[in-house]
Amino acid sequence: ILSSLAMAKLEAGDAQSSLQILDRALDIGERSYGKEHAELVPTLLHTAAACRRLEQHQRAAELIERTVKIQERQLGEDHAHLAATLVDLGGAHCASNDRAKEIRALERARAIVEKAGDLGSIALFQVLAPLQAAYAPAGREVEAAACEAQSREPLSGSLRTGLP
């Protein structure tokens, strides 16, 4: 209930109230389940979202890193949910201008999606777009161009097969 109320406040633009509620929910969850329990994942991610809205990017990254560790243990190191969380982590590192950590998180997400064989999926595009954006300012234009090309392949293929 607390997380739902907090997310409603966040969507209404009241990130500070949302964060206060989410901090309370996280405290209750940690006391009830322990600091590394899977039940905390939604609250950790919601709290990270509120932190990012308030430009508390370092705290957001720390919360998402906790989530990654929990998901690795609960879901395994190659799960699609983990890839999505790694994309979020890359975004938090981007916001705090830590390009190396951003790229590491996004490359790992890409490897998970590619290993799953989702080469024509939206999931891959959701990794490739921010990865391309991270590579370019890091002076890795060749990798940025490869991401752009790879992101076009699934789209053009699905358009070809989706039309009469």
Side-chain angles (χ1 to χ4, degrees):
I1 294 176
L2 286 177
S3 286
S4 296
L5 173 63
M7 293 313 294
K9 288 197 173 281
L10 187 63
E11 290 172 13
D14 189 357
Q16 189 60 50
S17 293
S18 175
L19 183 58
Q20 290 171 345
I21 294 166
L22 287 162
D23 280 338
R24 177 80 174 124
L26 189 55
D27 180 57
I28 291 168
E30 288 172 344
R31 284 188 280 125
S32 298
Y33 301 110
K35 290 189 177 273
E36 301 301 321
H37 196 279
E39 287 291 325
L40 298 177
V41 166
T43 305
L44 287 166
L45 292 173
H46 292 155
T47 306
C51 287
R52 287 184 69 185
R53 189 81 54 92
L54 292 167
E55 297 185 10
Q56 297 176 10
H57 304 298
Q58 183 59 40
R59 181 166 183 229
E62 291 167 2
L63 292 164
I64 299 169
E65 285 169 355
R66 276 182 64 190
T67 303
V68 166
K69 289 177 185 173
I70 293 168
Q71 288 180 327
E72 285 173 336
R73 198 173 47 257
Q74 294 293 317
L75 304 172
E77 294 188 2
D78 295 326
H79 197 278
H81 290 308
L82 180 58
T85 303
L86 288 164
V87 171
D88 286 344
L89 181 58
H93 287 310
C94 174
S96 59
N97 294 314
D98 192 334
R99 192 72 60 201
K101 286 184 179 179
E102 174 191 10
I103 290 171
R104 243 187 336 268
L106 293 170
E107 285 178 337
R108 183 159 175 227
R110 179 185 189 178
I112 291 169
V113 173
E114 288 177 341
K115 185 175 182 180
D118 291 338
L119 301 181
S121 72
I122 296 297
L124 182 60
F125 183 77
Q126 290 171 331
V127 173
L128 290 173
L131 187 55
Q132 176 188 354
Y135 279 147
R140 296 173 65 175
E141 290 84 8
V142 172
E143 290 101 326
C147 284
E148 181 180 10
Q150 187 179 5
S151 68
R152 281 195 212 133
E153 289 172 19
L155 181 61
S156 64
S158 64
L159 288 175
R160 278 195 308 270
T161 59
L163 296 174

